[in-house]
Amino acid sequence: MGHRMREVDVAEITEAVAEMSRQSNTNLPGDVFAALADARARETSPIASEVLDQLLLNAERAEATGLPLCQDTGVAVVFVDLGQDAHLVGGGLQEAVDAGVRRGYEEGYLRKSVVRDPLDRSTNTGDNTPAVVHLRLVPGDRVTVHFAPKGGGSENMSALWMLTPSQGRQGVVEAIAAQISAAGGMPCPPLVLGIGLGGTFELSALLAKRALLRPLGEPSPLSEVAELEREVLEAVNATGVGPMGLGGNTTALAVHIERHPCHIASLPLALNVQCHAARHMTRVL
Amino acid sequence: MEQMRTTVTEREIKKLTLPLDEKTACSLRAGDVVHLTGPMYTARDAAHARLMELINRGEELPIELQDQVIYYCGPTPAPPGRPIGAAGPTTSYRMDDYAPELHARGLRASIGKGNRSGHVRQALRRHHGVYFVAVGGAGALLSDRILSAEVVAYPELGPEAIRRLEVKDFPVIVAYDCLGGTAFVGEKPLA
């Protein structure tokens, strides 16, 4: 007798992605709103206060009007954690996700920001597909779908370094702070920083992106990683870049680090920069 | 929230009417909070590339530039009953190669987000222009301040088409002024 598989129709994934496309772009997550309000309360610069006031008001207006928070409604990044006892039926996973993006972006009046050929800007796919899908097999029979639309302005300020092991902790903190300082107002601070520390070249980047899915400001469960998160956050806010690069106490709202073992010769470090419109939603099917 | 919002109105805000004449532009200083009312044009990467092609060929532009303001913006589609969708600024540095030429032809100001090149700042000083930043990611709030939007060139570019907007109390901050001043952290005034 084979192991019992739970069947999940990919139409459910399409439905979840369509709904999350619309909702995530219109409703600022409560954790992000709270972090902006806390930052506003701490802010001492008049211009920074003005910018944060506008962001809080923007979240209210988006919810009231149904307009997107930001006109850059992003490329659709979808993390699928597939239980190994779940069996997807009814079609392909990528096709199902793309069908959800196509419907959600059309029905939600969201911007279509994807070109088929990176070197030919006239090749907009017209429906914001394809989505970027990251699949991971996990125990159980559930299918967890994370949806995180990613804007271009902040993505463009992301970076990856293959540090030498001797650069160590100080090298990590300095690289991140220097990158954010140089980026200035371009990635739309206040930011959320997703950091992948360790692994390999490609894994560090994936860890950095995945770190952005964590509820805002929830520290790493590993105490020494949580300590590093605090240190990086302090260093980044000490740059004084501030909201929109115009100065202030609030350059980043949170730093999330995902750590992974790595080769004795390596110290991979990836930084995925997320703007304050830190949109993320999750559905468990 | 209520308490926070009142602080915006308490602060001194300069209310200006568009188009923006040279004298008014020259009165602005980096860090000023300004509300703009009147017409402006949207244009971003693809529209700028096309304008530059026309200039290079010596042909007429589809919009008047004298004293005008260009907003670097690619909005979301307008939902039913609204003139435009979310309409926040895009990152300006991608337009840096084009901006000096447009300022030389009369453009008074641009609106975007983020720092710009020294060439742009020098062009602002030379031609008495201003660079404003709007708050990136405040797409719904800024959409509320846009009364009308009409595509006036390149409709085939979709969100990148050139639109003529009528705005009211559109909130911006002076990032670079015509004297070489800057509101950005880590930058110095032009020597």
Side-chain angles (χ1 to χ4, degrees), chain A residues 33 37 40-41 46-47 49-51 53-58 60-62 65 67-73 105 109-112 121 124 153-154 156-157 182-188 239-242 244-248 276-277, chain B residues 1 4-5 7-8 11 13 31-33 35 44 73-80 82 84-91 93-94 113-115 133-145 159 171-173 175 183-185:
Chain A
F33 189 92
R40 172 65 183 86
I47 289 189
S49 301
E50 164 74 21
V51 171
D53 281 339
Q54 285 192 32
L55 293 180
L56 291 165
L57 186 57
N58 183 62
E60 294 183 354
R61 294 305 300 152
T65 59
L67 286 173
L69 292 152
C70 178
Q71 73 290 339
D72 187 349
T73 50
Y105 274 69
Y109 295 93
L110 306 178
R111 202 178 76 186
K112 290 78 182 176
R121 297 285 138 174
N124 194 304
S154 59
N156 284 348
M157 297 299 130
M186 290 188 282
C188 283
T239 61
V241 165
M244 301 312 296
L246 300 169
H276 55 76
Chain B
M1 273 308 299
M4 286 172 200
R5 227 177 302 145
T7 59
V8 178
R11 212 164 290 130
I13 294 172
D32 286 352
V33 178
H35 280 186
R44 48 172 289 158
C73 174
T76 59
R82 295 192 69 98
I84 198 167
T90 194
T91 312
Y93 74 92
R94 299 192 313 270
K113 66 181 176 81
N115 315 58
V133 290
V135 173
L141 170 68
L142 293 166
S143 178
D144 273 349
R145 310 295 171 90
V172 293
I173 297 164
F184 287 114
V185 167

Side-chain angles (χ1 to χ4, degrees), chain A residues 40-198:
Chain A
R40 172 65 183 86
R42 284 194 307 271
E43 191 52 72
T44 51
S45 148
I47 289 189
S49 301
E50 164 74 21
V51 171
L52 292 169
D53 281 339
Q54 285 192 32
L55 293 180
L56 291 165
L57 186 57
N58 183 62
E60 294 183 354
R61 294 305 300 152
E63 196 159 349
T65 59
L67 286 173
L69 292 152
C70 178
Q71 73 290 339
D72 187 349
T73 50
V75 60
V77 179
V78 179
F79 285 85
V80 178
D81 290 346
L82 178 66
Q84 60 193 24
D85 296 327
H87 179 212
L88 299 182
V89 296
L93 175 62
Q94 179 76 46
E95 290 73 17
V97 169
D98 284 348
V101 168
R102 190 172 297 122
R103 205 167 89 208
Y105 274 69
E106 191 57 38
E107 291 174 357
Y109 295 93
L110 306 178
R111 202 178 76 186
K112 290 78 182 176
S113 312
V114 175
V115 287
R116 185 161 306 285
D117 178 353
L119 296 181
D120 182 353
R121 297 285 138 174
S122 70
T123 57
N124 194 304
T125 60
D127 58 10
N128 219 47
T129 67
V132 175
V133 179
H134 299 295
L135 178 63
R136 185 168 70 170
L137 271 184
V138 297
D141 63 2
R142 297 285 146 182
V143 182
T144 303
V145 184
H146 303 280
F147 185 87
K150 191 66 175 69
S154 59
E155 193 78 348
N156 284 348
M157 297 299 130
S158 301
L160 194 151
W161 300 266
M162 300 305 284
L163 300 178
T164 59
S166 68
Q167 287 176 278
R169 185 185 185 95
Q170 191 185 350
V172 168
V173 176
E174 284 175 2
I176 303 287
Q179 177 73 10
I180 296 307
S181 191
M186 290 188 282
C188 283
L191 307 168
V192 180
L193 303 183
I195 295 172
L197 177 62

